[in-house]
């Protein structure tokens, strides 16, 4: 072991390696420990550990890691060479052991369950309260009731976002634990029980997230993806835009369709993106601005109508069975925000249409409408492989088909 401090890592071995953790090739590695002369009690990495202060004297011993493990002090740090085989295996053990923080949590109370139910009901109409003239029985001058309704939708959106983020985080923990076990297969017997239990928690979270989603919104988003870019047609309401008319038209379609395609919300909830494009085009000018906003609102309504017609068209192809491997959340440093590479629409489709899940590979089988299948296949990548799962005439159970899927092969079929 090197004596240079810069070449050492100080690791809490007793905290990372529990007695039930398999050690594999690290069993026979000698670790330097400190103990009281009685030879009883814990083994320590630091001769100055406070639990040794009462000892008459302390001696040093080199002992095989496997023999020492059950006696390791959980508060000490052991100086290990940076090339020690214990370090990478300890990192893998930590990945698996981190699953325990999501297990055995208190069940939700009746108040939380009722809040979820109310959120699901609210979100059926969209992300925001219906306009006053669309909400039957609502008094327009009842400002307090209106504020409460806005608060209700805020809570609903926050619940959905929280469920989405928690489901994705659980999935990422499972993926990383799989990678650790793949690197060190001797960990599998210990990891299996934890991973199986986490999979049940993961599925419960997926179902709770899916209950706050509307499949119709996801299908309409896929219908927008299938629409051709609209041809520019002049309109008297565009007059105030002058030479920027066609450019604004193109940008409005791009912003609206991009947001609609990758969202879990209803199409009308993307209208503000068009409003922003038109407002930016006018800048400080006011002449013709109200007329342009009116014209673009009608234009957006036409796009929504076309998308809904496409979504409601009799299916030219049956529902598709797809296999997909969703990526884990990218690792971040402490306090850095998580940046999910999976769009809200992709996450929502996976949560809503899952029919099977392979825990060991973290792959999912989806049964989806044709339009959704086409959009998923179009965005397949090495980071998120997607493939049709059923060759003609194959009658194997979907779980077996998913288990046989080689997601390292080309992503489209």
């Amino acid at each position: 072991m090197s004596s240079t401090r810069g070449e050492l890592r100080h690791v809490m071995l007793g905290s990372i390696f529990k007695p039930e953790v398999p050690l594999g090739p690290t069993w026979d590695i000698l670790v330097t420990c400190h103990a009281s002369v009685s030879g009883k009690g814990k083994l320590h990495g630091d001769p100055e550990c406070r639990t040794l202060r009462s000892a008459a004297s302390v001696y040093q011993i080199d002992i095989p890691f496997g023999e020492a493990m059950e006696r390791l002090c959980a508060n000490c740090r052991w100086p290990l060479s940076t090339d020690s085989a214990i370090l990478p295996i300890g990192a893998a053990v930590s990945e698996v052991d981190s699953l325990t923080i999501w297990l055995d949590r208190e069940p939700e109370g009746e108040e939380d369950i009722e809040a979820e139910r109310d959120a699901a009901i609210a979100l059926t109409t969209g992300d925001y309260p219906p306009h006053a003239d669309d909400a039957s029985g609502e008094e327009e001058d009842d400002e307090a009731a209106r504020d409460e309704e806005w608060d209700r939708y805020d809570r609903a959106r926050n619940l959905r976002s929280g469920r989405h983020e928690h489901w994705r985080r659980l999935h990422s923990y499972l993926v990383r634990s799989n990678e650790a076990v793949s690197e060190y297969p001797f960990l599998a017997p210990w990891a299996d029980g934890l991973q199986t239990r986490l999979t049940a928690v993961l599925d419960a979270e997926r179902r709770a997230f899916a209950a706050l989603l509307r499949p119709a919104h996801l299908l309409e988003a896929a219908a927008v993806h299938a629409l051709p870019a609209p041809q520019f047609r002049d309109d008297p309401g565009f007059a105030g835009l002058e030479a920027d008319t066609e450019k604004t038209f193109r940008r409005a379609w791009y912003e609206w369709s991009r947001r609609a395609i990758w969202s879990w919300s209803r199409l009308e909830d993307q209208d503000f993106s068009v409003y922003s494009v038109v407002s930016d085009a006018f800048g400080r000018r006011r002449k013709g601005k109200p007329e342009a906003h009116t014209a673009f609102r009608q234009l957006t309504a036409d796009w929504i109508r076309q998308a809904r017609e496409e979504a409601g068209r009799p299916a030219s192809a049956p529902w598709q069975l797809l296999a997909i491997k969703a990526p884990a959340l990218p690792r971040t440093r402490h306090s850095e925000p998580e940046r999910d590479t999976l769009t809200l629409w992709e996450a929502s489709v996976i949560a809503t249409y899952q029919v099977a899940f392979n825990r060991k590979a973290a792959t999912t089988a989806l049964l989806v409408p044709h339009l959704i299948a086409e959009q998923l296949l179009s965005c397949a990548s090495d980071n998120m492989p997607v493939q049709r799962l059923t060759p003609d005439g194959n009658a194997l159970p979907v779980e077996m088909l998913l288990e046989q899927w080689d997601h390292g092969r080309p992503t489209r079929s």
Side-chain angles (χ1 to χ4, degrees):
M1 184 179 294
S2 172
S3 60
T4 305
R5 181 170 293 273
E7 297 177 353
L8 299 178
R9 290 274 302 277
H10 291 76
V11 183
M12 299 180 72
L13 295 180
S15 176
I16 296 172
F17 290 91
K18 309 294 182 6
E20 65 271 18
V21 176
L23 296 180
T26 65
W27 177 278
D28 294 322
I29 294 178
L30 295 179
V31 291
T32 300
C33 298
H34 304 272
S36 65
V37 291
S38 68
K40 298 179 181 180
K42 294 291 185 181
L43 298 175
H44 302 269
D46 183 358
E48 302 298 325
C49 180
R50 63 184 181 182
T51 59
L52 285 174
R53 291 174 186 169
S54 61
S57 61
V58 176
Y59 75 102
Q60 178 176 309
I61 182 174
D62 289 338
I63 184 172
F65 188 32
E67 294 180 21
M69 191 171 69
E70 291 193 7
R71 296 176 56 195
L72 296 178
C73 173
N75 299 314
C76 278
R77 294 180 182 272
W78 270 258
L80 299 179
S81 170
T82 54
D83 62 358
S84 170
I86 294 176
L87 291 178
I89 293 176
V93 167
S94 295
E95 290 288 9
V96 176
D97 192 57
S98 65
L99 304 184
T100 59
I101 65 175
W102 308 110
L103 304 175
D104 299 327
R105 294 198 162 193
E106 290 292 326
E108 292 184 335
E110 187 57 39
E111 186 176 334
D112 295 327
I113 294 172
E114 185 55 40
E116 296 271 348
R117 289 176 185 151
D118 185 68
I121 293 169
L123 294 170
T124 58
T125 62
D127 279 17
Y128 304 95
H131 295 299
D133 55 359
D134 294 337
S136 59
E138 182 180 18
E139 296 291 337
E140 293 186 27
D141 59 345
D142 191 348
E143 188 172 336
R146 190 67 178 162
D147 288 345
E148 172 54 33
E149 190 70 354
W150 275 94
D151 289 343
R152 179 192 181 207
Y153 278 79
D154 284 343
R155 291 192 297 270
R157 291 194 306 274
N158 288 337
L159 274 172
R160 182 182 58 193
S161 294
R163 287 294 190 185
H164 164 246
E165 291 166 5
H166 190 45
W167 172 63
R168 288 289 293 136
R169 196 169 296 120
L170 288 174
H171 175 267
S172 299
Y173 271 72
L174 180 63
V175 169
R176 291 167 189 160
S177 74
N178 280 338
E179 291 170 351
V181 173
S182 176
E183 185 74 16
Y184 301 103
F186 61 86
L187 295 176
W190 164 66
D192 186 71
L194 291 175
Q195 292 178 322
T196 299
R197 291 172 61 198
L198 184 80
T199 301
V201 176
L202 176 65
D203 193 58
E205 195 66 26
R206 176 191 67 81
R207 292 174 184 274
F209 171 42
L212 300 173
L213 301 167
R214 303 274 69 83
H217 297 166
L218 306 178
L219 182 59
E220 289 169 2
V224 174
H225 182 265
L227 292 179
Q231 296 296 315
F232 172 71
R233 293 182 182 178
D234 206 351
D235 184 287
F238 299 162
L241 289 166
E242 301 173 348
D244 291 332
T245 300
E246 186 169 357
K247 176 183 174 182
T248 304
F249 176 92
R250 302 289 180 206
R251 187 178 165 213
W253 164 257
Y254 171 78
E255 291 294 336
W256 180 84
S257 62
R258 179 177 63 87
R259 292 174 184 272
I261 287 169
W262 299 118
S263 175
W264 55 29
S265 304
R266 66 174 188 161
L267 300 181
E268 286 83 355
D269 292 332
Q270 313 305 327
D271 287 358
F272 187 73
S273 60
V274 176
Y275 180 90
S276 298
V277 167
V278 176
S279 295
D280 288 348
F282 272 92
R284 295 184 178 181
R285 293 182 292 119
R286 298 186 60 84
K287 185 177 180 180
K289 190 174 182 179
E291 293 80 2
H293 279 306
T294 300
F296 272 92
R297 275 197 300 272
Q298 182 56 54
L299 192 64
T300 307
D302 288 342
W303 295 340
I304 292 172
R305 176 185 53 77
Q306 292 170 31
R308 291 206 168 119
E309 287 177 355
E310 181 68 23
R313 202 183 306 279
S316 58
W319 282 41
Q320 306 289 306
L321 188 62
L322 302 182
I324 185 169
K325 183 173 175 63
L329 293 168
R331 293 182 184 274
T332 57
R333 295 184 178 181
H334 180 66
S335 78
E336 286 184 344
E338 293 173 329
R339 292 180 173 84
D340 198 346
T341 58
L342 204 63
T343 68
L344 298 181
W345 182 85
E346 290 165 342
S348 301
V349 165
I350 293 170
T352 299
Y353 293 101
Q354 176 178 311
V355 292
F357 181 71
N358 185 314
R359 185 260 294 170
K360 293 183 177 180
T363 53
T364 306
L366 308 176
L367 185 62
V368 297
H370 177 69
L371 284 174
I372 290 179
E374 292 305 310
Q375 182 168 336
L376 279 174
L377 288 164
S378 72
C379 62
S381 66
D382 291 340
N383 187 49
M384 189 184 75
V386 184
Q387 193 167 358
R388 288 189 177 90
L389 199 54
T390 49
D392 292 341
N394 195 325
L396 287 175
V398 61
E399 292 82 4
M400 190 172 295
L401 290 169
L402 187 60
E403 185 176 346
Q404 293 176 352
W405 179 45
D406 181 3
H407 51 78
R409 299 181 65 185
T411 57
R412 302 183 193 181
S413 63

